[in-house]
Amino acid sequence: MAFNLLHKDIETLTCPALVVFSKSSSQKDKPGKVTHSELNKRLAGSLEDKAITGKHQETVTFRELNYKGFRHVIVVGLGKENEITHESVRQSVAAAFEAIKASGVKEAALHFEGITTGKKDAADFAKATAEGLILTSYVFNELMSSKKEEKEIDVHVVTKLATDKAIKAAFNEGVVLGTCTNFSRRLGDMPANYMTPTILANTAVDAAKGTGIKVTVWDKARIKKEKMGGLLGVSNGSAQEPRFIIMEYKGAAASKKPVVFVGKGLTFDCGGISIKPSAGMEEMKYDMCGGANVIGTLLAIAKLKLKINAVGLVASTENLVGPEATKPGDVHTARNGKTFEVNNTDAEGRLILADALSYATELNPQVIIDAATLTGAIVVALGNTHTGYFTRNSALKNKVEKAAGESGEWVWNMPLCDFHVKDMKGTYADLSNMSYSKGAGSATAAAFLEQFVGEGIPWAHFDIAGTGWAVGNRLPYCPKKGASGAMLRTFVELAKLHA
Ligand code: BES
Ligand code: ZN
Ligand code: ZN
């Protein structure tokens, strides 16, 4: 697949397919319009007949229309003029890509001027267009013995604005964010036998080559030496060694405090001795999506050369039931010296994050942001629409809302208070890894994590258990079943807000 910004008068191009856009009328029963003026005239009958309505994400393909140098013309709905946002553009472009694919062509030209309502939004829309194309082009079929011939499709985003510096930069940013998200999605989609902690760490090392990111990987012996009792305890039941991945990017003066991202990298979670039911257990290969998306975030930050210092920390292990597995009631000691009882071995994400957050605290960070497929309770609370996030820092909350607004990802601020902390007190150790109070399972998990974040450090925790995969029912640029790459784009925006 190749997607490029092309500075050309679109009318002079020769290409198998042309994508133009349509808008629906704000007045009921009035026909929509095609935003390409000549085609608006040529397709007047279809507009009158409501074959083209301009409805958001509607696609109508006119095969063999033979308009100028184009054989086929695809009309893609943007919705009502006053409802067009960068996110609605991302979705319309996703629909455009699917229509291009369905039409069977290998090359298409996209009439970008038909999207922009003015130069004001053009940069945002150029970024969204690049993201929409790249995110939608993602397929995961590398484990099929007979790969379905995936067509390589080139899409030229044609605009007279292509030489504008801001538009070029925005399009490039969209390309980087889309590509890094697809990279993270692949890590998530890989089954656990192909994506062990060791493979995850090696993949991060390989991907970082040439980006300026320094990657350090701690093996089991080092993890032990570093007193990461949570990560070790969870890994006890597995034949695979755990890994602790440290990615460091330096884009600012050494004196500038780093933005530290932390990810849960559970390459498979069967629940441990507190074993999960079999139905749906195969989905627990996605329990490393927080880690995968943190790796992708660091890659994107480096590729965009953001003027910040950033660190990505991924604690990675399997949670299985081998003879050495942690038993319910066992007590372990986290890196910061706090002890915890493991009253449910399936609440393991918080145990490995405890060590990672303790380590993050030692880096004297400007802010700590973590992503984890942490609780089933967040899925009950928010389904797969919003990522629930927790922070007690109001300035950071504002930044999160701003960043999510920029990325188009949906987030929802969840409560975290001292009552949740009280629920996590242990009987025989400092803490218990599960609450015996009813409900608020995501908040009590967050309260547990908070015990490992240094006093006064702005910290936000993102529970992506609901949004980490299988969100394609609502987002046309995400796979129906596979990993979504949730929060990667928001995290890059958050990083920018800490420059
Ligand atoms: N990885 C799971 C959380 C999860 C559940 C992610 C469903 C995605 C979909 C996590 O390790 C877990 O099992 N959490 C337990 C905690 C409980 C035992 C306190 C849960 O949510 O049930
Ligand atoms: Zn679990
Ligand atoms: Zn888990």
Side-chain angles (χ1 to χ4, degrees):
M1 307 287 166
F3 307 104
N4 68 314
L5 201 56
L6 186 62
H7 184 250
K8 215 161 186 158
D9 176 1
I10 200 158
E11 308 303 319
T12 65
L13 266 181
T14 302
C15 196
L18 169 66
V19 175
V20 294
F21 292 88
S22 58
K23 287 178 185 168
S24 52
S25 165
S26 46
Q27 282 162 287
K28 227 175 146 218
D29 298 329
K30 279 266 165 70
K33 67 167 188 211
V34 172
T35 60
H36 180 285
S37 56
E38 270 190 72
L39 283 166
N40 187 52
K41 282 183 213 133
R42 175 113 177 236
L43 299 173
S46 297
L47 285 158
E48 207 50 54
D49 294 350
K50 304 247 165 62
I52 302 170
T53 69
K55 204 172 141 240
H56 185 222
Q57 295 186 59
E58 169 189 272
T59 59
V60 188
T61 300
F62 295 89
R63 295 195 70 87
E64 313 297 347
L65 191 77
N66 292 312
Y67 170 73
K68 291 189 179 166
F70 306 100
R71 244 180 99 183
H72 315 304
V73 171
I74 299 168
V75 185
V76 177
L78 293 169
K80 288 183 191 148
E81 168 102 41
N82 60 352
E83 289 172 5
I84 299 173
T85 62
H86 63 82
E87 176 57 14
S88 75
V89 167
R90 203 173 280 108
Q91 297 184 4
S92 296
V93 171
F97 185 81
E98 296 294 0
I100 293 167
K101 204 168 157 182
S103 77
V105 298
K106 290 202 179 95
E107 196 183 359
L110 187 144
H111 179 231
F112 183 72
E113 259 84 14
I115 302 179
T116 51
T117 44
K119 192 134 184 246
K120 187 167 91 40
D121 296 320
D124 273 358
F125 291 174
K127 182 177 165 212
T129 299
E131 288 172 359
L133 289 170
I134 293 175
L135 292 172
T136 313
S137 73
Y138 175 81
V139 279
F140 179 74
N141 61 5
E142 64 190 87
L143 301 177
M144 303 272 189
S145 63
S146 56
K147 280 196 195 62
K148 233 174 64 199
E149 258 322 298
E150 274 302 326
K151 257 199 194 94
E152 281 294 319
I153 301 173
D154 295 342
V155 181
H156 313 291
V157 177
V158 187
T159 170
K160 287 178 193 121
L161 295 170
T163 48
D164 184 288
K165 250 176 107 177
I167 304 291
K168 267 206 313 215
F171 188 85
N172 176 54
E173 191 177 332
V175 170
V176 168
L177 291 170
T179 310
C180 290
T181 303
N182 288 350
F183 170 86
S184 293
R185 287 172 170 179
R186 177 184 167 273
L187 301 182
D189 286 339
M190 273 291 192
N193 63 324
Y194 281 90
M195 194 45 65
T196 61
T198 306
I199 299 172
L200 181 67
N202 292 344
T203 312
V205 169
D206 286 346
K209 282 189 183 131
T211 63
I213 298 174
K214 179 183 166 202
V215 188
T216 310
V217 178
W218 290 353
D219 63 5
K220 188 169 185 172
R222 182 71 190 266
I223 289 166
K224 209 173 202 164
K225 207 167 143 212
E226 297 289 342
K227 298 189 166 26
M228 295 191 151
L231 178 54
L232 263 183
V234 174
S235 77
N236 278 346
S238 164
Q240 290 291 334
E241 276 211 10
R243 288 288 182 268
F244 189 70
I245 308 165
I246 305 168
M247 300 175 81
E248 290 167 278
Y249 165 74
K250 292 191 164 60
S255 57
K256 189 148 173 83
K257 289 178 169 188
V259 177
V260 181
F261 295 97
V262 173
K264 169 177 173 181
L266 241 296
T267 58
F268 193 77
D269 178 17
C270 86
I273 301 290
S274 317
I275 199 161
K276 286 180 183 296
S278 330
M281 200 201 270
E282 70 283 359
E283 292 197 346
M284 283 301 119
K285 70 170 181 176
Y286 292 117
D287 213 17
M288 36 62 77
C289 282
N293 301 351
V294 162
I295 295 170
T297 298
L298 262 286
L299 293 173
I301 287 172
K303 287 181 184 184
L304 294 172
K305 299 190 166 56
L306 296 193
K307 293 190 170 52
I308 59 158
N309 293 325
V311 180
L313 303 173
V314 180
S316 184
T317 177
E318 295 179 329
N319 186 24
L320 292 178
V321 290
E324 312 258 335
T326 289
K327 301 163 289 295
D330 283 1
V331 173
H332 292 301
T333 307
R335 182 175 168 87
N336 72 348
K338 289 197 184 173
T339 59
F340 49 75
E341 297 157 32
V342 183
N343 289 317
N344 188 319
T345 64
D346 197 11
E348 84 300 335
R350 61 196 75 184
L351 308 182
I352 69 168
L353 290 173
D355 289 326
L357 291 168
S358 301
Y359 184 72
T361 293
E362 294 163 29
L363 302 175
N364 189 23
Q366 200 186 144
V367 61
I368 301 175
I369 316 270
D370 80 67
T373 46
L374 203 63
T375 64
I378 203 79
V379 190
V380 175
L382 300 176
N384 74 356
T385 60
H386 296 70
T387 293
Y389 76 94
F390 300 79
T391 182
R392 295 215 217 192
N393 184 302
S394 59
L396 181 54
K397 176 179 175 234
N398 291 339
K399 284 186 182 138
V400 169
E401 295 292 333
K402 188 155 186 245
E406 288 290 325
S407 73
E409 296 190 288
W410 286 1
V411 296
W412 196 261
N413 186 227
M414 300 289 288
L416 169 57
C417 67
D418 291 345
F419 284 109
H420 301 125
V421 176
K422 221 169 124 196
D423 280 346
M424 302 310 284
K425 282 253 175 296
T427 311
Y428 309 102
D430 299 339
L431 296 159
S432 162
N433 79 328
M434 72 172 286
S435 156
Y436 285 100
S437 286
K438 250 185 142 186
S442 306
T444 50
F448 183 93
L449 297 183
E450 194 183 39
Q451 305 316 303
F452 302 90
V453 177
E455 196 77 37
I457 299 172
W459 163 69
H461 154 61
F462 290 73
D463 194 335
I464 60 166
T467 51
W469 71 94
V471 298
N473 59 324
R474 69 176 184 91
L475 293 173
Y477 48 81
C478 286
K480 290 270 178 296
K481 288 186 179 163
S484 62
M487 292 301 113
L488 188 154
R489 289 182 289 129
T490 299
F491 283 4
V492 173
E493 296 299 334
L494 257 175
K496 283 197 230 161
L497 295 175
H498 288 87

